[in-house]
Amino acid sequence: MRRPGGWWRVKSTPEKVETYTRWSFHFFGVIEILALGVTAYGRTGVGLATALCLLVTAHAAVCMLVSARALDWTRGRRPQPVRQMWALVVVSAVVSTTAVVIAERGPSGEVETAAGSVYGGVLCYAAGVITLGVRGWRRRVAVVGAFAVGAGLLTFPLEMPLLASVVLAGLVMVTGGFLAATSIFSLWLLNAVYALDDAKETRVRLAVAEERLRFGRDLHDVMGRNLAVIALKSELAVQLSRRGRPEAVEQMIEVQRIAQESQREVRDVVRGYREAALEVELAGARGVLSAAGIVSEVTGETAGLPAEVQSALGWVVREATTNVLRHGDAKKVAVTVRMSEERVVLTVENDGVAETTGDGLPGGPGGPGRAGGTGGSGLSGLRERLSAVDGTLEAGPVGRGVFRLTAEVPLPAAAAGAALGVAS
């Protein structure tokens, strides 16, 4: 069963920012209802106040709809909400006109104040929301300016002085412009967060691609020359064989030797590609986490450990780092290496954990245990590597939002003594 608040913790950082931005726009509608609709009850009778409150509530609901659709349009999930924006213009005009009628024909006094607040307020909110659905600063300025001009023109039935109309239009221009700027900045911030997250994913993919290129380059260097020699000697052996020369056998023996040598060199390249040195992996993890804005703390000594132990623990560090970068929301990662007379213990602990995936590793949808597209085999794969050196692996949450992965590998007496001697 998902813990309370789990729906929030499973979200990635961009998704959290988007949720916050979306509900901020909805909160603007709630503020509109409270500031313009509810306050009318203290200024006029219950009947007129209820009418004004209902008008404001309807206008706020349309504003919420337009802001949500505009946000989806900005993220490329929906077409531009042109109809919804025109509907907001119509609703704003209807509410403003109704407020003008109430202020002109209703009882004088505080009714005019309440209706005037609704009149100017809905135009300001509408101007700020509609700018979410257009691109370009000129169009956005034009939208705010159109609402300001409309606010001034609608005051003529009230026979307001020209100066008062200009002041009201200026207030709509300033307030609507402020709301528009706030909304646009929120969208810019959201897009920037998504862009940074995409850049992080791109950096991970580039690192994988670079490693594949290195592997391919090494294979080319190893096999290119040998294959060319094999082809030449094979052609020479064919020509000698056709002429009945005994040297053909010697050439084929040489081809066999070169082929066996190539096979051995390929194995060495693959073995070097698959092995992971612990010290190198720790340095790489520190650099990658720092580049991703995650505080990393690495403590302990690794010198003197057997090569097979370093390779197994290096894979643990590599997988854990990849999981944090791809699926976690960590702010701090601590890696500790402790050695005793009998075993070496590697601990990787990070915060920002939301849920635990089916294979026991922390993360959001897909789970860090699925690093590298292994479909949940991350933890089992590490256990297989550690089992080759009689090691064990434990993983699980140790507190609120904290996940710990612990790998233990026993050390032979000679290796333990050498490692402890280097560490001391």
Side-chain angles (χ1 to χ4, degrees), residues 143-157:
V143 168
V144 177
F147 273 92
V149 172
L153 294 177
L154 285 176
T155 59
F156 284 101

Side-chain angles (χ1 to χ4, degrees), residues 119-121 123-124 127 144 147-149 151 167-177:
Y119 167 73
L123 294 178
C124 293
V144 177
F147 273 92
V149 172
V167 170
L168 181 59
L171 288 175
V172 173
M173 185 74 177
V174 172
T175 307

